């Protein structure tokens, strides 16, 4: 039986000003460009580690529940985990080439195609970190401030919601 994805039911905000984000992290959280490109440029060896990919029912864009593929990955720079990312990929998005990516970065697919329209970023402090601590086998995560961002990529009826949870080590890579 597949394990359900980590909950990303955070208190999402529309502005960095609404959160007590460390100054060094603000440029990363507010960057509207490709996180993949940013991390690749700051490391010798960038990797995507696929944790899980499974069908889910989810509510996106205030619509009714729909069918999505939930993809969970870790982004590593020089073998250090920087980001936990979770994406919800609609079935029409799968038909547009966003499926079975394996360890291919989703950012490379979405940012290479100008037809994907991007929503504004939403930001959150990750208040409950138990699941993340268990996933990473790191009890210290429970005591650290952790922040996340999300946005939706759309192309007509195809949608991809991307949520990125930034671990403290991301400051070392950027």
């Amino acid at each position: 039986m597949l394990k359900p994805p980590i909950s990303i039911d955070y208190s999402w905000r529309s502005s960095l000003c609404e959160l007590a984000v460390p100054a060094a992290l603000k440029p990363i959280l507010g960057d509207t460009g490709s996180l993949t490109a940013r991390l690749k440029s700051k490391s010798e060896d960038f990797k995507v580690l696929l944790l899980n990919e499974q069908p889910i029912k989810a509510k996106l864009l205030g619509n009714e529940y729909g069918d999505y593929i939930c993809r969970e990955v870790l982004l590593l720079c020089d073998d250090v985990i920087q980001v936990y990312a979770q994406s919800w990929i609609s079935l029409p998005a799968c038909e547009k080439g966003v499926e079975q990516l394996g360890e291919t970065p989703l950012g490379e697919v979405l940012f290479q195609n100008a037809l994907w329209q991007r929503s504004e970023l939403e930001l959150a402090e990750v208040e409950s970190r138990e699941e993340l601590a268990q996933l990473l086998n790191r009890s210290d995560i429970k005591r650290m401030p952790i922040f996340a961002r999300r946005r939706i990529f759309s192309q007509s009826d195809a949608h991809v919601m991307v949520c990125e949870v930034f671990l403290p080590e991301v400051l070392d890579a950027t």
Side-chain angles (χ1 to χ4, degrees):
M1 178 162 178
L2 292 173
K3 184 178 177 191
I6 288 179
S7 173
I8 54 171
D9 188 20
Y10 307 140
S11 296
W12 294 101
R13 312 278 186 208
S14 59
S15 169
L16 272 172
C17 299
E18 299 177 51
L19 298 169
V21 176
L25 189 56
K26 285 182 180 182
I28 302 165
L29 274 177
D31 186 355
T32 59
S34 167
L35 178 62
T36 298
R38 183 183 191 112
L39 292 176
K40 279 184 167 185
S41 73
K42 302 293 182 179
S43 65
E44 297 288 319
D45 183 31
F46 174 82
K47 291 181 195 161
V48 175
L49 177 62
L50 178 63
L51 300 174
N52 194 5
E53 199 169 64
Q54 65 180 303
I56 62 165
K57 288 250 185 225
K59 198 173 188 177
L60 190 63
L61 299 170
N63 295 331
E64 295 179 15
Y65 282 90
D67 293 315
Y68 295 87
I69 301 298
C70 180
R71 180 176 187 250
E72 294 177 283
V73 300
L74 297 175
L75 306 181
L76 291 81
C77 291
D78 302 322
D79 293 321
V80 177
I81 300 169
Q82 308 290 315
V83 174
Y84 162 79
Q86 187 178 122
S87 303
W88 299 356
I89 304 165
S90 71
L91 299 183
C94 290
E95 295 168 10
K96 295 189 182 299
V98 187
E99 68 171 333
Q100 296 179 346
L101 297 172
E103 296 186 346
T104 300
L106 179 58
E108 284 184 358
V109 175
L110 295 174
F111 279 89
Q112 286 180 359
N113 185 337
L115 296 176
W116 286 104
Q117 307 229 335
R118 299 174 199 111
S119 71
E120 295 294 319
L121 287 172
E122 291 183 299
L123 310 147
E125 182 168 2
V126 178
E127 294 166 2
S128 175
R129 296 181 285 282
E130 281 293 322
E131 288 179 296
L132 191 59
Q134 283 182 329
L135 173 74
L136 301 173
N137 197 24
R138 285 185 59 182
S139 60
D140 62 329
I141 291 290
K142 296 180 206 173
R143 298 182 302 277
M144 299 176 174
I146 306 288
F147 294 89
R149 70 179 188 183
R150 73 176 180 182
R151 69 174 143 197
I152 297 171
F153 293 79
S154 300
Q155 190 180 145
S156 59
D157 66 339
H159 306 287
V160 179
M161 190 277 303
V162 178
C163 173
E164 299 154 331
V165 178
F166 295 87
L167 302 176
E169 291 78 8
V170 77
L171 293 175
D172 297 333
T174 56

